[in-house]
Amino acid sequence: MIYFKLPFDEKLYTINEDLSKNSVTFYAFDNSEQLNFKGDIIEVKPEDFEKIRIPYQSLPKQADAVIAETKDEYIQKLNKVIAVIKNNQLPKLVLSRRKIIEGFNTIDLKESFKNLCSAYPNAFRYIFIHEGNSWMGAFSEVLGKFSTITHEFETMSLAGTLPVSESWSEKEIEEQKPVSKYIRDILKKYAPADEIEESPTSEHISGNIKHLRTDFKLKLNTEEIVDQLIRELHPTPAVCGIPKDFCRENIEKFEKFPRELYAGYIKVEIKDTVQYFVNLRCAKLYQDSVHLFVGGGITAQSNPEKEWQETELKSEAVLKNLIYS
């Protein structure tokens, strides 16, 4: 079972039972896992969705006890990561953690999903229960979008995070620059520099937080080339760091839990477009707990206390929309 909405599109979609093709695919951060939803994408009318039950009992049970990091543990780890960044002169390394909510009786899955959809109209919003997994999320970073008619490919550099009310500092500006450079350098392998359109950097608001964003556009010949480009872009510095391989090794070293589908990507094939979304503001759902995945880009200038508060702020994206008792 899966339900989802596309950015700036209030139509609700699901997938029928036709097993002849993949329409939606979730890829794990480290590519160790891939969940395929096979069938045709179909629209669900609001009045029909109101009649549908998504029973809480259909959620998987948590098999093993999982203890999240405390604030002190995470800050100690951040200090070690900042030392690695300084010693190796890294532009950025992305560190994440799980925030675990327990001690409730039930979750109203349908109403929670509806809340998430209302809160983030510019995001890809989804909920699914599939092969013993259940996840829900909403995030607006587009890893790629390809038109099978015009052959135009779009992507974006999205980095730097602040509460909406705060002003940009040098830390966020410097954090976003290498993300844009990373994307720009990869795109140059697929088109001459003068054929790549790049927008000015702008502010991108997502609920209670904002990011810095730069858009890129170019033309590609086939969907196969698009898949190849996506594999090269992922994981971007926004979810991993620079240089990619070194940062990925340190992520495995420092993070307490595997990321699973968090910071991976979602491929959606609908109508005349193929879209790829980064799976960031998301949670893994169990009958007895909710695991919220959150992280942030760490630089030599990072303040550990402020980085902790940033992850707390990001966890609210899903948490504040959950209805549980």
Side-chain angles (χ1 to χ4, degrees):
M1 179 230 49
I2 183 170
Y3 294 100
F4 64 91
K5 290 186 177 183
L6 297 168
F8 302 107
D9 182 355
E10 288 312 304
K11 293 178 182 176
L12 178 66
Y13 298 99
T14 189
I15 294 176
N16 68 9
E17 294 297 323
D18 180 5
L19 301 180
S20 62
K21 67 176 182 179
N22 288 344
S23 291
V24 178
T25 306
F26 284 73
Y27 295 85
F29 170 75
D30 61 1
N31 289 313
S32 63
E33 184 180 5
Q34 186 175 316
L35 289 182
N36 299 309
F37 292 84
K38 295 179 178 288
D40 291 315
I41 293 174
I42 56 175
E43 185 180 348
V44 181
K45 298 296 183 184
E47 58 269 24
D48 293 331
F49 187 59
E50 288 304 317
K51 300 172 187 174
I52 291 169
R53 289 185 65 252
I54 308 178
Y56 157 77
Q57 292 79 7
S58 61
L59 291 177
K61 292 184 177 180
Q62 187 176 306
D64 303 306
V66 178
I67 300 174
E69 291 165 299
T70 65
K71 179 180 178 180
D72 287 344
E73 289 170 339
Y74 193 67
I75 285 179
Q76 286 175 19
K77 184 182 293 185
L78 283 169
N79 283 317
K80 293 177 182 177
V81 169
I82 291 169
V84 168
I85 290 170
K86 289 179 178 178
N87 291 339
N88 294 276
Q89 297 182 313
L90 303 181
K92 172 181 179 177
L93 190 152
V94 179
L95 190 70
S96 72
R97 67 181 181 94
R98 293 193 196 195
K99 179 173 182 172
I100 299 175
I101 307 299
E102 297 175 308
F104 55 83
N105 294 315
T106 62
I107 303 175
D108 190 325
L109 296 173
K110 188 165 79 170
E111 292 303 314
S112 297
F113 175 61
K114 286 165 67 176
N115 282 350
L116 199 68
C117 289
S118 297
Y120 297 97
N122 65 338
F124 178 78
R125 298 145 286 173
Y126 71 87
I127 184 171
F128 75 74
I129 303 173
H130 183 64
E131 297 180 359
N133 280 284
S134 182
W135 289 69
M136 183 166 70
F139 196 60
S140 50
E141 181 174 354
V142 176
L143 185 59
K145 182 179 180 181
F146 178 67
S147 167
T148 57
I149 296 175
T150 65
H151 288 189
E152 273 194 343
F153 176 81
E154 302 171 40
T155 187
M156 67 171 68
S157 162
L158 199 67
T161 304
L162 280 180
V164 170
S165 59
E166 292 189 19
S167 300
W168 297 110
S169 70
E170 194 66 22
K171 188 262 182 186
E172 292 82 32
I173 293 168
E174 290 304 312
E175 183 185 336
Q176 203 252 355
K177 283 181 181 177
V179 181
S180 295
K181 183 180 185 304
Y182 168 86
I183 292 173
R184 192 182 299 120
D185 289 345
I186 290 177
L187 295 182
K188 286 177 182 176
K189 300 177 185 178
Y190 293 83
D194 61 357
E195 294 181 11
I196 300 171
E197 295 180 35
E198 180 174 342
S199 74
T201 299
S202 60
E203 191 172 86
H204 178 96
I205 294 175
S206 180
N208 60 345
I209 58 178
K210 61 183 180 180
H211 311 279
L212 291 170
R213 167 178 169 173
T214 307
D215 294 317
F216 298 86
K217 188 183 292 185
L218 69 158
K219 287 205 171 185
L220 298 172
N221 292 329
T222 65
E223 187 178 330
E224 288 73 23
I225 291 177
V226 177
D227 282 331
Q228 177 184 324
L229 173 54
I230 290 295
R231 286 192 294 271
E232 195 166 351
L233 285 172
H234 175 77
T236 68
V239 299
C240 182
I242 302 172
K244 182 192 290 190
D245 292 339
F246 182 83
C247 288
R248 199 177 335 196
E249 289 172 11
N250 278 275
I251 284 169
E252 292 177 4
K253 174 184 173 183
F254 282 109
E255 291 188 357
K256 185 174 180 180
F257 305 108
R259 291 187 175 186
E260 302 183 50
L261 298 182
Y262 167 71
Y265 63 94
I266 307 157
K267 180 181 180 181
V268 182
E269 302 180 59
I270 186 167
K271 297 178 182 176
D272 301 318
T273 61
V274 185
Q275 300 186 59
Y276 304 80
F277 301 96
V278 182
N279 192 29
L280 277 181
R281 305 288 174 265
C282 60
K284 191 173 186 180
L285 309 175
Y286 296 95
Q287 286 190 21
D288 47 0
S289 65
V290 175
H291 292 209
L292 300 146
F293 290 76
V294 287
I298 312 303
T299 70
Q301 293 78 38
S302 288
N303 177 303
E305 174 69 30
K306 193 172 181 181
E307 294 295 341
W308 168 266
Q309 293 302 329
E310 181 181 311
T311 61
E312 287 289 284
L313 194 63
K314 287 175 177 176
S315 73
E316 290 295 317
V318 174
L319 183 57
K320 71 180 181 182
N321 291 296
L322 290 178
I323 297 176
Y324 55 89
S325 59

mmCIF file with all atom_site columns, all heavy atoms in Angstrom, residues 92-110:
data_model
loop_
_atom_site.group_PDB
_atom_site.id
_atom_site.type_symbol
_atom_site.label_atom_id
_atom_site.label_alt_id
_atom_site.label_comp_id
_atom_site.label_asym_id
_atom_site.label_entity_id
_atom_site.label_seq_id
_atom_site.pdbx_PDB_ins_code
_atom_site.Cartn_x
_atom_site.Cartn_y
_atom_site.Cartn_z
_atom_site.occupancy
_atom_site.B_iso_or_equiv
_atom_site.pdbx_formal_charge
_atom_site.auth_seq_id
_atom_site.auth_comp_id
_atom_site.auth_asym_id
_atom_site.auth_atom_id
_atom_site.pdbx_PDB_model_num
ATOM 1   N N   . LYS A 1 92  ? 32.634  20.002 4.156  1.00 0.00 ? 92  LYS A N   1
ATOM 2   C CA  . LYS A 1 92  ? 31.365  19.651 4.814  1.00 0.00 ? 92  LYS A CA  1
ATOM 3   C C   . LYS A 1 92  ? 31.273  18.145 4.983  1.00 0.00 ? 92  LYS A C   1
ATOM 4   O O   . LYS A 1 92  ? 31.740  17.367 4.148  1.00 0.00 ? 92  LYS A O   1
ATOM 5   C CB  . LYS A 1 92  ? 30.211  20.150 3.938  1.00 0.00 ? 92  LYS A CB  1
ATOM 6   C CG  . LYS A 1 92  ? 28.826  19.729 4.358  1.00 0.00 ? 92  LYS A CG  1
ATOM 7   C CD  . LYS A 1 92  ? 27.806  20.276 3.374  1.00 0.00 ? 92  LYS A CD  1
ATOM 8   C CE  . LYS A 1 92  ? 26.413  19.866 3.739  1.00 0.00 ? 92  LYS A CE  1
ATOM 9   N NZ  . LYS A 1 92  ? 25.404  20.453 2.841  1.00 0.00 ? 92  LYS A NZ  1
ATOM 10  N N   . LEU A 1 93  ? 30.666  17.720 6.104  1.00 0.00 ? 93  LEU A N   1
ATOM 11  C CA  . LEU A 1 93  ? 30.317  16.312 6.323  1.00 0.00 ? 93  LEU A CA  1
ATOM 12  C C   . LEU A 1 93  ? 28.935  16.283 6.966  1.00 0.00 ? 93  LEU A C   1
ATOM 13  O O   . LEU A 1 93  ? 28.671  17.048 7.892  1.00 0.00 ? 93  LEU A O   1
ATOM 14  C CB  . LEU A 1 93  ? 31.347  15.621 7.219  1.00 0.00 ? 93  LEU A CB  1
ATOM 15  C CG  . LEU A 1 93  ? 31.259  14.100 7.347  1.00 0.00 ? 93  LEU A CG  1
ATOM 16  C CD1 . LEU A 1 93  ? 32.638  13.511 7.648  1.00 0.00 ? 93  LEU A CD1 1
ATOM 17  C CD2 . LEU A 1 93  ? 30.276  13.647 8.422  1.00 0.00 ? 93  LEU A CD2 1
ATOM 18  N N   . VAL A 1 94  ? 28.053  15.428 6.470  1.00 0.00 ? 94  VAL A N   1
ATOM 19  C CA  . VAL A 1 94  ? 26.679  15.387 6.971  1.00 0.00 ? 94  VAL A CA  1
ATOM 20  C C   . VAL A 1 94  ? 26.542  14.261 7.999  1.00 0.00 ? 94  VAL A C   1
ATOM 21  O O   . VAL A 1 94  ? 26.836  13.098 7.702  1.00 0.00 ? 94  VAL A O   1
ATOM 22  C CB  . VAL A 1 94  ? 25.673  15.183 5.826  1.00 0.00 ? 94  VAL A CB  1
ATOM 23  C CG1 . VAL A 1 94  ? 24.250  15.107 6.377  1.00 0.00 ? 94  VAL A CG1 1
ATOM 24  C CG2 . VAL A 1 94  ? 25.782  16.328 4.828  1.00 0.00 ? 94  VAL A CG2 1
ATOM 25  N N   . LEU A 1 95  ? 26.096  14.621 9.188  1.00 0.00 ? 95  LEU A N   1
ATOM 26  C CA  . LEU A 1 95  ? 25.904  13.659 10.268 1.00 0.00 ? 95  LEU A CA  1
ATOM 27  C C   . LEU A 1 95  ? 24.419  13.579 10.601 1.00 0.00 ? 95  LEU A C   1
ATOM 28  O O   . LEU A 1 95  ? 23.732  14.607 10.636 1.00 0.00 ? 95  LEU A O   1
ATOM 29  C CB  . LEU A 1 95  ? 26.690  14.097 11.506 1.00 0.00 ? 95  LEU A CB  1
ATOM 30  C CG  . LEU A 1 95  ? 26.774  13.073 12.644 1.00 0.00 ? 95  LEU A CG  1
ATOM 31  C CD1 . LEU A 1 95  ? 27.666  11.898 12.246 1.00 0.00 ? 95  LEU A CD1 1
ATOM 32  C CD2 . LEU A 1 95  ? 27.311  13.725 13.916 1.00 0.00 ? 95  LEU A CD2 1
ATOM 33  N N   . SER A 1 96  ? 23.931  12.362 10.858 1.00 0.00 ? 96  SER A N   1
ATOM 34  C CA  . SER A 1 96  ? 22.511  12.210 11.176 1.00 0.00 ? 96  SER A CA  1
ATOM 35  C C   . SER A 1 96  ? 22.318  11.377 12.444 1.00 0.00 ? 96  SER A C   1
ATOM 36  O O   . SER A 1 96  ? 23.255  10.745 12.945 1.00 0.00 ? 96  SER A O   1
ATOM 37  C CB  . SER A 1 96  ? 21.763  11.558 10.010 1.00 0.00 ? 96  SER A CB  1
ATOM 38  O OG  . SER A 1 96  ? 22.093  10.185 9.903  1.00 0.00 ? 96  SER A OG  1
ATOM 39  N N   . ARG A 1 97  ? 21.095  11.389 12.932 1.00 0.00 ? 97  ARG A N   1
ATOM 40  C CA  . ARG A 1 97  ? 20.725  10.604 14.106 1.00 0.00 ? 97  ARG A CA  1
ATOM 41  C C   . ARG A 1 97  ? 19.254  10.219 14.013 1.00 0.00 ? 97  ARG A C   1
ATOM 42  O O   . ARG A 1 97  ? 18.527  10.719 13.151 1.00 0.00 ? 97  ARG A O   1
ATOM 43  C CB  . ARG A 1 97  ? 20.958  11.407 15.395 1.00 0.00 ? 97  ARG A CB  1
ATOM 44  C CG  . ARG A 1 97  ? 20.031  12.610 15.562 1.00 0.00 ? 97  ARG A CG  1
ATOM 45  C CD  . ARG A 1 97  ? 20.331  13.371 16.849 1.00 0.00 ? 97  ARG A CD  1
ATOM 46  N NE  . ARG A 1 97  ? 19.449  14.515 17.044 1.00 0.00 ? 97  ARG A NE  1
ATOM 47  C CZ  . ARG A 1 97  ? 18.315  14.484 17.755 1.00 0.00 ? 97  ARG A CZ  1
ATOM 48  N NH1 . ARG A 1 97  ? 17.917  13.346 18.339 1.00 0.00 ? 97  ARG A NH1 1
ATOM 49  N NH2 . ARG A 1 97  ? 17.577  15.573 17.897 1.00 0.00 ? 97  ARG A NH2 1
ATOM 50  N N   . ARG A 1 98  ? 18.820  9.322  14.892 1.00 0.00 ? 98  ARG A N   1
ATOM 51  C CA  . ARG A 1 98  ? 17.404  8.987  15.020 1.00 0.00 ? 98  ARG A CA  1
ATOM 52  C C   . ARG A 1 98  ? 16.859  9.587  16.314 1.00 0.00 ? 98  ARG A C   1
ATOM 53  O O   . ARG A 1 98  ? 17.504  9.545  17.354 1.00 0.00 ? 98  ARG A O   1
ATOM 54  C CB  . ARG A 1 98  ? 17.186  7.475  15.095 1.00 0.00 ? 98  ARG A CB  1
ATOM 55  C CG  . ARG A 1 98  ? 17.514  6.716  13.849 1.00 0.00 ? 98  ARG A CG  1
ATOM 56  C CD  . ARG A 1 98  ? 16.962  5.303  13.932 1.00 0.00 ? 98  ARG A CD  1
ATOM 57  N NE  . ARG A 1 98  ? 17.572  4.438  12.930 1.00 0.00 ? 98  ARG A NE  1
ATOM 58  C CZ  . ARG A 1 98  ? 17.103  3.248  12.582 1.00 0.00 ? 98  ARG A CZ  1
ATOM 59  N NH1 . ARG A 1 98  ? 16.015  2.775  13.156 1.00 0.00 ? 98  ARG A NH1 1
ATOM 60  N NH2 . ARG A 1 98  ? 17.709  2.518  11.670 1.00 0.00 ? 98  ARG A NH2 1
ATOM 61  N N   . LYS A 1 99  ? 15.674  10.136 16.197 1.00 0.00 ? 99  LYS A N   1
ATOM 62  C CA  . LYS A 1 99  ? 14.918  10.539 17.383 1.00 0.00 ? 99  LYS A CA  1
ATOM 63  C C   . LYS A 1 99  ? 13.774  9.543  17.504 1.00 0.00 ? 99  LYS A C   1
ATOM 64  O O   . LYS A 1 99  ? 13.006  9.348  16.548 1.00 0.00 ? 99  LYS A O   1
ATOM 65  C CB  . LYS A 1 99  ? 14.381  11.967 17.237 1.00 0.00 ? 99  LYS A CB  1
ATOM 66  C CG  . LYS A 1 99  ? 13.562  12.434 18.434 1.00 0.00 ? 99  LYS A CG  1
ATOM 67  C CD  . LYS A 1 99  ? 13.207  13.904 18.319 1.00 0.00 ? 99  LYS A CD  1
ATOM 68  C CE  . LYS A 1 99  ? 12.427  14.375 19.535 1.00 0.00 ? 99  LYS A CE  1
ATOM 69  N NZ  . LYS A 1 99  ? 12.224  15.832 19.541 1.00 0.00 ? 99  LYS A NZ  1
ATOM 70  N N   . ILE A 1 100 ? 13.635  8.895  18.647 1.00 0.00 ? 100 ILE A N   1
ATOM 71  C CA  . ILE A 1 100 ? 12.673  7.813  18.794 1.00 0.00 ? 100 ILE A CA  1
ATOM 72  C C   . ILE A 1 100 ? 11.554  8.226  19.749 1.00 0.00 ? 100 ILE A C   1
ATOM 73  O O   . ILE A 1 100 ? 11.812  8.677  20.874 1.00 0.00 ? 100 ILE A O   1
ATOM 74  C CB  . ILE A 1 100 ? 13.360  6.527  19.297 1.00 0.00 ? 100 ILE A CB  1
ATOM 75  C CG1 . ILE A 1 100 ? 14.424  6.090  18.277 1.00 0.00 ? 100 ILE A CG1 1
ATOM 76  C CG2 . ILE A 1 100 ? 12.344  5.409  19.512 1.00 0.00 ? 100 ILE A CG2 1
ATOM 77  C CD1 . ILE A 1 100 ? 15.245  4.897  18.709 1.00 0.00 ? 100 ILE A CD1 1
ATOM 78  N N   . ILE A 1 101 ? 10.314  8.091  19.268 1.00 0.00 ? 101 ILE A N   1
ATOM 79  C CA  . ILE A 1 101 ? 9.126   8.392  20.062 1.00 0.00 ? 101 ILE A CA  1
ATOM 80  C C   . ILE A 1 101 ? 8.481   7.066  20.457 1.00 0.00 ? 101 ILE A C   1
ATOM 81  O O   . ILE A 1 101 ? 8.194   6.224  19.604 1.00 0.00 ? 101 ILE A O   1
ATOM 82  C CB  . ILE A 1 101 ? 8.120   9.248  19.274 1.00 0.00 ? 101 ILE A CB  1
ATOM 83  C CG1 . ILE A 1 101 ? 8.805   10.502 18.699 1.00 0.00 ? 101 ILE A CG1 1
ATOM 84  C CG2 . ILE A 1 101 ? 6.929   9.616  20.135 1.00 0.00 ? 101 ILE A CG2 1
ATOM 85  C CD1 . ILE A 1 101 ? 9.393   11.416 19.737 1.00 0.00 ? 101 ILE A CD1 1
ATOM 86  N N   . GLU A 1 102 ? 8.262   6.895  21.755 1.00 0.00 ? 102 GLU A N   1
ATOM 87  C CA  . GLU A 1 102 ? 7.642   5.654  22.263 1.00 0.00 ? 102 GLU A CA  1
ATOM 88  C C   . GLU A 1 102 ? 6.567   6.015  23.290 1.00 0.00 ? 102 GLU A C   1
ATOM 89  O O   . GLU A 1 102 ? 6.337   7.181  23.589 1.00 0.00 ? 102 GLU A O   1
ATOM 90  C CB  . GLU A 1 102 ? 8.705   4.753  22.902 1.00 0.00 ? 102 GLU A CB  1
ATOM 91  C CG  . GLU A 1 102 ? 9.775   4.286  21.927 1.00 0.00 ? 102 GLU A CG  1
ATOM 92  C CD  . GLU A 1 102 ? 10.872  3.493  22.614 1.00 0.00 ? 102 GLU A CD  1
ATOM 93  O OE1 . GLU A 1 102 ? 11.423  3.995  23.607 1.00 0.00 ? 102 GLU A OE1 1
ATOM 94  O OE2 . GLU A 1 102 ? 11.173  2.387  22.146 1.00 0.00 ? 102 GLU A OE2 1
ATOM 95  N N   . GLY A 1 103 ? 5.912   5.008  23.821 1.00 0.00 ? 103 GLY A N   1
ATOM 96  C CA  . GLY A 1 103 ? 4.972   5.217  24.918 1.00 0.00 ? 103 GLY A CA  1
ATOM 97  C C   . GLY A 1 103 ? 3.597   5.659  24.499 1.00 0.00 ? 103 GLY A C   1
ATOM 98  O O   . GLY A 1 103 ? 2.858   6.252  25.285 1.00 0.00 ? 103 GLY A O   1
ATOM 99  N N   . PHE A 1 104 ? 3.185   5.371  23.258 1.00 0.00 ? 104 PHE A N   1
ATOM 100 C CA  . PHE A 1 104 ? 1.831   5.707  22.810 1.00 0.00 ? 104 PHE A CA  1
ATOM 101 C C   . PHE A 1 104 ? 1.052   4.411  22.550 1.00 0.00 ? 104 PHE A C   1
ATOM 102 O O   . PHE A 1 104 ? 1.632   3.322  22.499 1.00 0.00 ? 104 PHE A O   1
ATOM 103 C CB  . PHE A 1 104 ? 1.874   6.571  21.541 1.00 0.00 ? 104 PHE A CB  1
ATOM 104 C CG  . PHE A 1 104 ? 2.666   5.974  20.411 1.00 0.00 ? 104 PHE A CG  1
ATOM 105 C CD1 . PHE A 1 104 ? 2.094   5.039  19.559 1.00 0.00 ? 104 PHE A CD1 1
ATOM 106 C CD2 . PHE A 1 104 ? 3.988   6.344  20.197 1.00 0.00 ? 104 PHE A CD2 1
ATOM 107 C CE1 . PHE A 1 104 ? 2.823   4.476  18.525 1.00 0.00 ? 104 PHE A CE1 1
ATOM 108 C CE2 . PHE A 1 104 ? 4.720   5.796  19.159 1.00 0.00 ? 104 PHE A CE2 1
ATOM 109 C CZ  . PHE A 1 104 ? 4.133   4.856  18.327 1.00 0.00 ? 104 PHE A CZ  1
ATOM 110 N N   . ASN A 1 105 ? -0.251  4.554  22.380 1.00 0.00 ? 105 ASN A N   1
ATOM 111 C CA  . ASN A 1 105 ? -1.100  3.381  22.146 1.00 0.00 ? 105 ASN A CA  1
ATOM 112 C C   . ASN A 1 105 ? -1.365  3.135  20.663 1.00 0.00 ? 105 ASN A C   1
ATOM 113 O O   . ASN A 1 105 ? -1.228  2.019  20.175 1.00 0.00 ? 105 ASN A O   1
ATOM 114 C CB  . ASN A 1 105 ? -2.434  3.545  22.889 1.00 0.00 ? 105 ASN A CB  1
ATOM 115 C CG  . ASN A 1 105 ? -2.261  3.552  24.391 1.00 0.00 ? 105 ASN A CG  1
ATOM 116 O OD1 . ASN A 1 105 ? -1.525  2.724  24.924 1.00 0.00 ? 105 ASN A OD1 1
ATOM 117 N ND2 . ASN A 1 105 ? -2.907  4.479  25.075 1.00 0.00 ? 105 ASN A ND2 1
ATOM 118 N N   . THR A 1 106 ? -1.757  4.194  19.947 1.00 0.00 ? 106 THR A N   1
ATOM 119 C CA  . THR A 1 106 ? -2.078  4.042  18.534 1.00 0.00 ? 106 THR A CA  1
ATOM 120 C C   . THR A 1 106 ? -1.631  5.282  17.755 1.00 0.00 ? 106 THR A C   1
ATOM 121 O O   . THR A 1 106 ? -1.393  6.344  18.342 1.00 0.00 ? 106 THR A O   1
ATOM 122 C CB  . THR A 1 106 ? -3.598  3.867  18.299 1.00 0.00 ? 106 THR A CB  1
ATOM 123 O OG1 . THR A 1 106 ? -4.273  5.054  18.754 1.00 0.00 ? 106 THR A OG1 1
ATOM 124 C CG2 . THR A 1 106 ? -4.135  2.652  19.030 1.00 0.00 ? 106 THR A CG2 1
ATOM 125 N N   . ILE A 1 107 ? -1.535  5.129  16.433 1.00 0.00 ? 107 ILE A N   1
ATOM 126 C CA  . ILE A 1 107 ? -1.300  6.251  15.533 1.00 0.00 ? 107 ILE A CA  1
ATOM 127 C C   . ILE A 1 107 ? -2.443  6.270  14.522 1.00 0.00 ? 107 ILE A C   1
ATOM 128 O O   . ILE A 1 107 ? -2.786  5.233  13.953 1.00 0.00 ? 107 ILE A O   1
ATOM 129 C CB  . ILE A 1 107 ? 0.026   6.099  14.758 1.00 0.00 ? 107 ILE A CB  1
ATOM 130 C CG1 . ILE A 1 107 ? 1.206   5.946  15.706 1.00 0.00 ? 107 ILE A CG1 1
ATOM 131 C CG2 . ILE A 1 107 ? 0.248   7.305  13.843 1.00 0.00 ? 107 ILE A CG2 1
ATOM 132 C CD1 . ILE A 1 107 ? 2.521   5.667  14.981 1.00 0.00 ? 107 ILE A CD1 1
ATOM 133 N N   . ASP A 1 108 ? -3.015  7.441  14.315 1.00 0.00 ? 108 ASP A N   1
ATOM 134 C CA  . ASP A 1 108 ? -4.012  7.597  13.255 1.00 0.00 ? 108 ASP A CA  1
ATOM 135 C C   . ASP A 1 108 ? -3.243  7.894  11.972 1.00 0.00 ? 108 ASP A C   1
ATOM 136 O O   . ASP A 1 108 ? -2.871  9.044  11.698 1.00 0.00 ? 108 ASP A O   1
ATOM 137 C CB  . ASP A 1 108 ? -4.976  8.740  13.588 1.00 0.00 ? 108 ASP A CB  1
ATOM 138 C CG  . ASP A 1 108 ? -6.173  8.789  12.640 1.00 0.00 ? 108 ASP A CG  1
ATOM 139 O OD1 . ASP A 1 108 ? -5.978  8.478  11.445 1.00 0.00 ? 108 ASP A OD1 1
ATOM 140 O OD2 . ASP A 1 108 ? -7.277  9.142  13.080 1.00 0.00 ? 108 ASP A OD2 1
ATOM 141 N N   . LEU A 1 109 ? -2.982  6.852  11.200 1.00 0.00 ? 109 LEU A N   1
ATOM 142 C CA  . LEU A 1 109 ? -2.102  6.973  10.044 1.00 0.00 ? 109 LEU A CA  1
ATOM 143 C C   . LEU A 1 109 ? -2.683  7.878  8.962  1.00 0.00 ? 109 LEU A C   1
ATOM 144 O O   . LEU A 1 109 ? -1.971  8.716  8.396  1.00 0.00 ? 109 LEU A O   1
ATOM 145 C CB  . LEU A 1 109 ? -1.816  5.583  9.463  1.00 0.00 ? 109 LEU A CB  1
ATOM 146 C CG  . LEU A 1 109 ? -1.054  4.628  10.389 1.00 0.00 ? 109 LEU A CG  1
ATOM 147 C CD1 . LEU A 1 109 ? -0.979  3.240  9.787  1.00 0.00 ? 109 LEU A CD1 1
ATOM 148 C CD2 . LEU A 1 109 ? 0.356   5.156  10.648 1.00 0.00 ? 109 LEU A CD2 1
ATOM 149 N N   . LYS A 1 110 ? -3.959  7.723  8.677  1.00 0.00 ? 110 LYS A N   1
ATOM 150 C CA  . LYS A 1 110 ? -4.545  8.508  7.592  1.00 0.00 ? 110 LYS A CA  1
ATOM 151 C C   . LYS A 1 110 ? -4.577  9.995  7.940  1.00 0.00 ? 110 LYS A C   1
ATOM 152 O O   . LYS A 1 110 ? -4.194  10.841 7.120  1.00 0.00 ? 110 LYS A O   1
ATOM 153 C CB  . LYS A 1 110 ? -5.954  8.002  7.263  1.00 0.00 ? 110 LYS A CB  1
ATOM 154 C CG  . LYS A 1 110 ? -6.522  8.655  6.002  1.00 0.00 ? 110 LYS A CG  1
ATOM 155 C CD  . LYS A 1 110 ? -7.727  7.910  5.464  1.00 0.00 ? 110 LYS A CD  1
ATOM 156 C CE  . LYS A 1 110 ? -8.983  8.222  6.235  1.00 0.00 ? 110 LYS A CE  1
ATOM 157 N NZ  . LYS A 1 110 ? -10.200 7.691  5.579  1.00 0.00 ? 110 LYS A NZ  1
#
